[in-house]
Amino acid sequence: MKFPNHVIHRRHRGSRTFMDGAAATTAIKFVRDRGLDHAVEREKNLRPLLNVKNLIKSEPSKSLPISIIAQNKDSLKIPSRPIEFIRKYPSVFHEFLPGGIGIHPHIKLTQEVLDINVDEHLVYESDSYRQLVADRLLKLLMISRMNKIPINILDKLKWDLGLPQNYLKTLVPDFPDCFRVVGSNESGQLELVCWSDELAVSILEKKAMEGGSGYSKGMPLAFPVKFSKGFEMDKKVKKWWDDWQKLPYVSPYENALHLSPKTDESDKWAAAVLHEILNLFVAKKAERDDVLCIGEYLGIRSRFKRVLLHHPHIFYLSSKIGTYTVVLKEAYKRGLLIENNPLMNIRNRYLHLMHTVKEHGKDISMSSGTNQEKKAASNASKKVAGDDDSEEENNGVSVTFSGSETENGDSDEEEDRFKGGRRGSREAVAVSRRTTTTTTSKRKNGDLKTHLGDGEGERAIGRRHSRTKPKVPQPLNASTNVHRRSQQRSSS
């Protein structure tokens, strides 16, 4: 297969900078981004939940015994005991005993989740979405060095690419001019059939051309960046960063493997490849292991690691769900995905249903995300949501890349402040209560003085503060009356 000449980049000698080696670990500091952490955390159990949903939906009876779900726990990626996971989402799964006999409980789907599933199926079957997914696969094949991708790698990226469940049977055969399966489905590969110059344009190049800046291939092109709150950059790093942004932009669809691995030119090309791949993903994020898996197949795994280490203001690394997730920072604003995607709209509906419980026949939306939000939720919401993420909220973030690590500067400090300030907080609360009581008493006294006269007001205040039990007159008997008369005679 012959491809255009422009995909072979000219060989030139790269330059090394102070960022090579161990200097990067001290020059670039990792700063936590709470908005992006929340974007990752809110989808924590969505993927295993939909895996269970699809398994139940595939059964003719539309239900499954819990024992079958337990047997497939690992393949379904269920993070806890299956029965606990099922009972955590009563708005999605309904537990019942078939025939009312005491055997293993069965699980079926609620009507609400079935309604969303119908809309999800319509999205996958729409012509516009199918063409969108086909373009993603075509672009990914053009990025790969041999224009082939193993099926097992595509299966790992199926969730991120937004592929249908049986994409090899329902999608691939409908685009024979774009790609084809070579070999068996289990050990085969998806192969590029025809190169597309129209699609071999990165998202950065497309935006530059649409902006009217007169951009042409080989010109410098800067990556859009978002600095997290608290991120600091010294003068030496700032100068290196400005020079790095001014380097010529090598398209991810060009072959630049001839560049020396430890140069800024090579790193910028690797950043362009990673940037383009993340843009192909539905949520503009993916687990780090999956990213490094595709990087290993492309032959640039170590370059991907270095890019993640050197450029946290382009690619954010979150550890909120027990694993590391790479997030494209420019794709999010205040923790929400900017791009409108039909499949993400469906997933958001699933998330909303997951965090909804029924109490007395009413739907109550649960809080999902940080501990502060969970504390503000209703008692019913707390019972379902649990405390899954309380430990993660207080943990520091440390990312290790073969001896290099990024640092988190605020998590441990917040925990120390919390532990060290508990006694002071209790004392402050006690003082605040005494002060509030005194102030309230004075305010009431002042109101009485205002509405009453000076003397009368003081007497009212005195009566208010020195109430005594009223005296009850004792009943008089005959002996008491005789004693009183004798006292009166003696006195007269």
Side-chain angles (χ1 to χ4, degrees):
M1 186 184 305
K2 186 176 181 180
F3 296 99
N5 292 330
H6 72 268
V7 301
I8 307 298
H9 195 267
R10 292 184 304 170
R11 180 183 298 271
H12 65 277
R13 189 173 183 179
S15 59
R16 301 189 66 176
T17 68
F18 83 100
M19 293 302 295
D20 297 323
T25 61
T26 57
I28 303 294
K29 300 294 183 181
F30 179 85
V31 178
R32 183 174 172 181
D33 192 307
R34 296 185 180 274
L36 296 180
D37 280 340
H38 176 69
V40 172
E41 187 180 22
R42 67 190 293 266
E43 298 183 14
K44 178 180 180 179
N45 291 330
L46 176 61
R47 191 170 178 177
L49 181 137
L50 294 185
N51 289 339
V52 177
K53 184 265 297 182
N54 292 332
L55 180 62
I56 297 175
K57 193 75 172 54
S58 64
E59 289 295 313
S61 62
K62 307 304 178 185
S63 65
L64 270 179
I66 189 64
S67 57
I68 300 298
I69 297 177
Q71 291 174 7
N72 295 274
K73 175 184 175 182
D74 294 337
S75 61
L76 296 173
K77 300 183 182 299
I78 300 178
S80 58
R81 289 182 59 203
I83 188 62
E84 294 177 355
F85 182 82
I86 293 297
R87 290 173 178 173
K88 188 175 182 180
Y89 302 106
S91 58
V92 177
F93 304 110
H94 176 65
E95 181 181 347
F96 69 99
L97 294 175
I101 58 178
I103 60 175
H104 289 296
H106 280 53
I107 309 299
K108 66 179 181 180
L109 302 175
T110 63
Q111 187 59 45
E112 291 84 357
V113 75
L114 289 174
D115 293 340
I116 302 177
N117 182 81
V118 171
D119 294 339
E120 181 183 16
H121 181 72
L122 293 176
V123 169
Y124 281 126
E125 292 298 321
S126 64
D127 293 337
S128 59
Y129 186 79
R130 289 169 62 84
Q131 184 62 55
L132 182 63
V133 174
D135 290 345
R136 290 178 192 153
L137 286 176
L138 186 60
K139 291 171 76 71
L140 191 61
L141 287 170
M142 291 191 294
I143 290 176
S144 64
R145 54 181 178 177
M146 300 298 294
N147 303 119
K148 295 180 183 179
I149 297 181
I151 298 299
N152 60 346
I153 293 182
L154 287 178
D155 288 342
K156 288 184 178 181
L157 302 176
K158 182 167 62 174
W159 170 266
D160 302 311
L161 290 169
L163 299 178
Q165 285 296 315
N166 299 320
Y167 67 98
L168 293 177
K169 297 180 179 179
T170 61
L171 179 71
V172 173
D174 293 343
F175 296 90
D177 296 335
C178 298
F179 34 71
R180 64 189 176 193
V181 176
V182 179
S184 62
N185 291 346
E186 293 77 13
S187 59
Q189 294 180 320
L190 190 66
E191 182 183 48
L192 179 68
V193 172
C194 183
W195 184 276
S196 173
D197 288 333
E198 181 182 359
L199 293 178
V201 179
S202 70
I203 185 68
L204 287 183
E205 291 176 311
K206 185 178 180 181
K207 290 180 179 180
M209 293 174 182
E210 293 175 351
S213 59
Y215 171 80
S216 61
K217 283 188 176 295
M219 293 179 60
L221 190 59
F223 286 89
V225 297
K226 284 189 176 181
F227 296 102
S228 300
K229 185 178 181 180
F231 180 82
E232 296 181 356
M233 186 183 296
D234 59 33
K235 293 181 180 179
K236 192 175 182 181
V237 177
K238 182 66 167 61
K239 183 180 184 306
W240 166 82
W241 167 248
D242 292 338
D243 293 340
W244 187 86
Q245 286 279 52
K246 295 176 183 178
L247 291 173
Y249 176 83
V250 182
S251 172
Y253 299 98
E254 299 182 26
N255 186 354
L257 290 176
H258 59 274
L259 293 174
S260 178
K262 295 183 179 180
T263 60
D264 283 343
E265 289 82 359
S266 174
D267 282 353
K268 186 164 186 179
W269 172 72
V273 174
L274 180 56
H275 184 274
E276 185 70 5
I277 290 176
L278 288 177
N279 267 288
L280 296 179
F281 293 161
V282 175
K284 314 303 179 189
K285 60 182 177 65
E287 291 186 7
R288 186 193 67 172
D289 291 343
D290 294 339
V291 170
L292 296 181
C293 177
I294 186 66
E296 183 175 6
Y297 177 72
L298 298 177
I300 54 176
R301 176 188 176 94
S302 60
R303 302 190 196 190
F304 272 7
K305 286 184 176 181
R306 191 160 54 252
V307 166
L308 294 176
L309 177 64
H310 289 180
H311 306 287
H313 35 278
I314 303 177
F315 310 105
Y316 179 72
L317 207 57
S318 174
S319 64
K320 291 304 295 181
I321 57 175
T323 184
Y324 293 110
T325 304
V326 182
V327 185
L328 185 63
K329 297 192 72 171
E330 67 184 83
Y332 285 81
K333 183 177 182 180
R334 296 179 180 177
L336 298 176
L337 188 64
I338 298 174
E339 181 181 280
N340 186 22
N341 185 285
L343 185 58
M344 282 304 300
N345 294 336
I346 294 294
R347 291 180 181 178
N348 287 331
R349 290 176 60 187
Y350 280 121
L351 285 171
H352 179 73
L353 182 63
M354 287 170 59
H355 301 294
T356 302
V357 295
K358 287 183 178 293
E359 185 175 294
H360 306 298
K362 297 181 180 179
D363 290 342
I364 301 176
S365 180
M366 290 166 49
S367 169
S368 63
T370 62
N371 288 342
Q372 289 80 2
E373 292 172 337
K374 290 179 180 178
K375 290 178 182 179
S378 64
N379 292 334
S381 301
K382 290 180 182 178
K383 189 176 297 183
V384 176
D387 300 324
D388 291 344
D389 308 323
S390 59
E391 183 177 354
E392 291 181 355
E393 186 66 24
N394 291 327
N395 287 342
V397 180
S398 178
V399 185
T400 303
F401 291 129
S402 301
S404 302
E405 67 179 7
T406 55
E407 299 176 7
N408 176 21
D410 60 351
S411 179
D412 295 335
E413 183 180 351
E414 289 177 359
E415 187 174 358
D416 292 340
R417 288 201 304 267
F418 174 74
K419 291 180 179 178
R422 293 173 71 179
R423 179 177 299 178
S425 299
R426 295 194 187 100
E427 295 175 356
V429 170
V431 172
S432 177
R433 287 177 179 173
R434 290 196 298 270
T435 305
T436 303
T437 303
T438 305
T439 305
T440 304
S441 177
K442 289 181 179 180
R443 187 182 296 113
K444 291 181 179 179
N445 293 346
D447 293 341
L448 284 172
K449 288 184 179 182
T450 302
H451 292 288
L452 300 176
D454 292 339
E456 188 176 356
E458 292 177 359
R459 288 193 298 272
I461 295 172
R463 289 195 300 269
R464 181 180 181 90
H465 288 285
S466 59
R467 289 180 179 177
T468 58
K469 188 175 181 179
K471 294 182 179 180
V472 180
Q474 298 292 332
L476 300 177
N477 50 28
S479 61
T480 305
N481 291 335
V482 171
H483 180 70
R484 285 183 178 180
R485 289 194 192 100
S486 61
Q487 286 181 344
Q488 290 176 356
R489 291 194 193 99
S490 62
S491 60
S492 59

